[in-house]
Amino acid sequence: MNRILLHHDEISPDGNAVVCDARAQHIINVLKAEPGQSIKTGVINGLIGTSTVVNLNKQLGRVNLKCSHTIPSPSAWCDLILAVPRPKVMKRLWAQLAALGVRRIALINAFKVEKFYFDSHVITAEFYTDLLLEGLQQAGTSLLPEVTVHRSFKFFVEHELDRLFEPQCRFLAHPTTENSSISSSLPSSPVLAIGPEGGWTDHETETLLNKSFTPFSMGKRILRTDTACIAAIARLGGIFDKN
């Protein structure tokens, strides 16, 4: 954890907070903090800053903090439309997507997505919230990505896409023999659509291209979903100077 995140209701009006869970263990055993030491902290979906360790109990795994959060968190900078992958792949992705700076994650259906993926607990807020927080604490930010789930590709494209994502800066991940040329002067944050491991169908590709998506490729190699997400977002981050 490069920044310890606290829920708003964990901090008293006078700025004091007590942590007794894995965060406390991290402060004690990894940071090896001592009373009087300052550590990086923040409020989930709120300001970031530092906290002073007032006292700690190593035996009980308890840490008392005096918080000072006055700095806006760095904003997330891109959005992701992702055809739902296998549950074990999605489980690996949650923390990485938050750490990379994804603002909104729309999980959608596609022809090559297995229907039972949508019944997995891996795409429920009760499961993924802690993993998103793990990614934020790694990156040192505090703003949780917004996650939506869409079981119909057709309904999403026709009724939800334009409501959720601006049309000026849309990219469609699709392997080709040529790399994409993208201008970094585009007017808004990018949204990247990544298909299932079997790839978008020709119909899905045509439908998205007709909705102002620009083909985006890192070459002709076909990548696994988790590899493609991380590599493509990192490449966009370099183009849009969001490293």
Side-chain angles (χ1 to χ4, degrees):
M1 300 179 190
N2 292 313
R3 187 177 301 279
I4 304 295
L5 293 180
L6 304 164
H7 293 274
H8 184 268
D9 59 8
E10 290 184 294
I11 305 174
S12 67
D14 59 1
N16 290 307
V18 179
V19 290
C20 307
D21 53 16
R23 295 168 298 176
Q25 295 297 329
H26 185 83
I27 293 169
I28 294 168
N29 299 320
V30 179
L31 300 181
K32 301 187 184 303
E34 297 293 341
Q37 183 174 334
S38 178
I39 61 174
K40 293 180 180 179
T41 56
V43 180
I44 298 169
N45 285 328
L47 300 174
I48 61 174
T50 60
S51 293
T52 301
V53 177
V54 178
N55 56 64
L56 52 82
N57 187 313
K58 296 181 180 180
Q59 286 71 37
L60 296 178
R62 176 187 176 97
V63 180
N64 290 65
L65 300 170
K66 181 70 172 181
C67 305
S68 177
H69 301 134
T70 59
I71 306 168
S73 173
S75 298
W77 63 275
C78 72
D79 298 323
L80 177 67
I81 298 170
L82 178 63
V84 179
R86 288 171 293 155
K88 67 178 182 180
V89 173
M90 194 67 240
K91 180 179 179 180
R92 292 197 297 263
L93 270 172
W94 285 120
Q96 302 303 322
L97 295 179
L100 285 166
V102 177
R103 178 180 55 178
R104 285 179 292 188
I105 304 166
L107 298 177
I108 70 169
N109 205 350
F111 181 77
K112 296 178 183 177
V113 170
E114 297 285 351
K115 290 183 179 180
F116 74 86
Y117 292 176
F118 284 92
D119 298 323
S120 171
H121 71 288
V122 171
I123 62 171
T124 64
E126 292 78 10
F127 180 85
Y128 64 66
T129 299
D130 285 345
L131 294 174
L132 292 177
L133 288 172
E134 177 186 324
L136 295 180
Q137 291 180 125
Q138 171 64 36
T141 60
S142 69
L143 303 179
L144 274 170
E146 175 189 342
V147 180
T148 55
V149 179
H150 310 268
R151 290 177 175 262
S152 169
F153 176 86
K154 185 176 186 292
F155 187 87
F156 171 78
V157 171
E158 293 180 354
H159 300 284
E160 300 292 334
L161 176 61
D162 291 336
R163 179 180 66 83
L164 292 172
F165 305 106
E166 297 178 6
Q168 295 92 341
C169 202
R170 295 175 177 175
F171 299 103
L172 177 66
H174 194 64
T176 68
T177 56
E178 297 181 358
N179 289 335
S180 303
S181 177
I182 300 173
S183 170
S184 61
S185 61
L186 290 170
S188 61
S189 298
V191 54
L192 177 66
I194 295 180
E197 291 189 353
W200 301 109
T201 65
D202 291 342
H203 171 71
E204 290 165 347
T205 299
E206 182 180 358
T207 299
L208 293 171
L209 292 177
N210 288 335
K211 294 294 289 186
S212 302
F213 280 83
T214 299
F216 175 80
S217 175
M218 294 177 292
K220 62 183 179 180
R221 296 177 184 271
I222 299 173
L223 305 175
R224 295 192 318 183
T225 298
D226 47 351
T227 304
C229 284
I230 294 170
I233 293 170
R235 181 165 183 256
L236 279 181
I239 294 170
F240 284 82
D241 195 25
K242 297 293 183 179
N243 294 315

